[in-house]
Amino acid sequence: MTRTSRRTVLAATAAAGLAVAAGAPAHAATGGRAPSKELFGTLDDGTKVYRWTLVNGGTRLKVLSYGGIVQSLEIPDRRGRTANVSLGFAGLPDYVAKSPYFGGLIGRYGNRIAQGRFTLDGATHQLPVNDGPHSLHGGDRGFDKRVWDIEPFTARGEVGLVLTRTSPDGEAGYPGTLAVRVVYTLTARGAWRIDYTATTDRATVLNLTSHTYFNLAGEGSGSADAHLLELAASRYTPVGATLIPTGELARVARTPFDFRRPRAVGEAVRTPHEQIGHGQGIDHNYVLDRGITARPEYALTVTDPGSGRVMKMYTTEPGMQVYTGNFLDGTLTGTSGRVYRQGDAFCLESQHFPDSPNQPSFPSTVLRPGATYRSTTVHAFSAR
């Protein structure tokens, strides 16, 4: 597939995610209600930050206007007991001062760009470097640290939020004025769907994702090592010592990265392997077997045996970054008042591949004027 057609296929309607969410296993629908809004805090410049709450199908989702952050995601276990399964903070100051992207809406570019530099149409663009010598998740002030405009909606048994923001030309070194629209939806069966769209007035690169930290046993409950992960990926992108992909698409067979059948996350992380050493655990992009798709297709299942909670993910994206909470070090206190330690959660970030602007063999992340960036990811919850 050519670079142009890889991006063009994303122009298919994101509304197709409705069918996936409706057909995926989920706990019984319990009905939704209109989104509610409350003041969460005030930034130093006087900007008010609000927290929106969505409830539908047994799922409760709390979202901040600061960073589009998922502050809480509550789902029931096999006995119907509800718990928050996402890591986060109780107050705004911690998000501003020290958050490791908890629940953030990531842009302009999810994951790493080597040396914070890329060349597009003959022009070289320098981005802020905030991860050693590299740029990570949009630089030192990415989309997760910007205030978004939010409008609620209710329609056809669904509830949701429309988040919008215009990123000016040159913001964080990226070319083009970018108009971004992200829709968070809770379906009647409690699935959480994210639809991303964007347009630009100048050629740019774009890779949007959500950086929610999951522990299906409940936030603050301790290690997530016992969670079982099944991932529809036969290859992954190995990295060098500073976590930039080498360009290889390596087979997962006979490595700790093989989750083609359900496997405990902790078992994989503790298997000796040079790549595990580079990331102090798993911090790698998986190449999903079905590639870029016109509608969300199955990517993975993660299960917590203790609570019975299950999350399935469907996406249009070609990659999935699996990050096993390797840099949580006990210095952060979460919403439950408990500290977060290494391995207490994992991130599953649907995405294009890291450093794609510098890797010609990877699917293109270039967005040009006249085209529309579209991406959809669905999280479907159940218990067994």
Side-chain angles (χ1 to χ4, degrees), residues 209-225:
T209 191
S210 173
H211 206 286
T212 301
Y213 285 68
F214 294 101
N215 184 323
L216 298 186
E219 173 273 336
S221 64
S223 174
D225 282 357

Side-chain angles (χ1 to χ4, degrees), residues 55-268:
V55 181
N56 207 12
T59 299
R60 182 188 305 267
L61 179 69
K62 296 183 179 181
V63 177
L64 305 183
S65 57
Y66 178 79
I69 287 169
V70 172
Q71 195 247 348
S72 176
L73 173 63
E74 300 174 43
I75 59 174
D77 66 7
R78 64 167 65 94
R79 297 182 181 179
R81 298 174 300 188
T82 299
N84 174 22
V85 299
S86 67
L87 272 58
F89 296 117
L92 182 60
D94 283 345
Y95 282 109
V96 174
K98 55 188 177 184
S99 178
Y101 306 101
F102 282 156
L105 174 52
I106 302 298
R108 287 190 190 190
Y109 200 94
N111 221 297
R112 295 172 175 88
I113 294 180
Q115 307 300 316
R117 187 182 307 121
F118 67 93
T119 299
L120 179 60
D121 296 340
T124 298
H125 302 275
Q126 182 63 55
L127 316 173
V129 293
N130 61 324
D131 184 58
H134 310 306
S135 184
L136 174 66
H137 295 328
D140 51 2
R141 195 173 176 221
F143 285 2
D144 63 299
K145 298 175 179 66
R146 307 284 182 172
V147 175
W148 291 71
D149 293 325
I150 297 183
E151 292 292 335
F153 69 88
T154 57
R156 301 181 303 278
E158 299 179 335
V159 297
L161 303 171
V162 179
L163 295 82
T164 55
R165 181 173 184 272
T166 298
S167 175
D169 182 27
E171 182 176 75
Y174 289 89
T177 299
L178 188 77
V180 186
R181 183 177 187 267
V182 181
V183 182
Y184 292 165
T185 304
L186 288 187
T187 71
R189 300 188 67 186
W192 170 35
R193 189 177 72 245
I194 311 175
D195 294 309
Y196 308 86
T197 58
T199 58
T200 184
D201 64 357
R202 183 182 172 195
T204 191
V205 296
L206 187 63
N207 191 28
L208 303 178
T209 191
S210 173
H211 206 286
T212 301
Y213 285 68
F214 294 101
N215 184 323
L216 298 186
E219 173 273 336
S221 64
S223 174
D225 282 357
H227 284 62
L228 302 176
L229 175 63
E230 178 189 71
L231 185 58
S234 301
R235 296 178 182 270
Y236 76 106
T237 52
V239 297
T242 59
L243 303 181
I244 295 295
T246 63
E248 179 186 6
L249 305 183
R251 294 189 179 277
V252 301
R254 296 181 293 279
T255 77
F257 299 93
D258 191 351
F259 289 98
R260 290 174 295 173
R261 295 184 178 181
R263 183 183 185 190
V265 172
E267 174 193 348

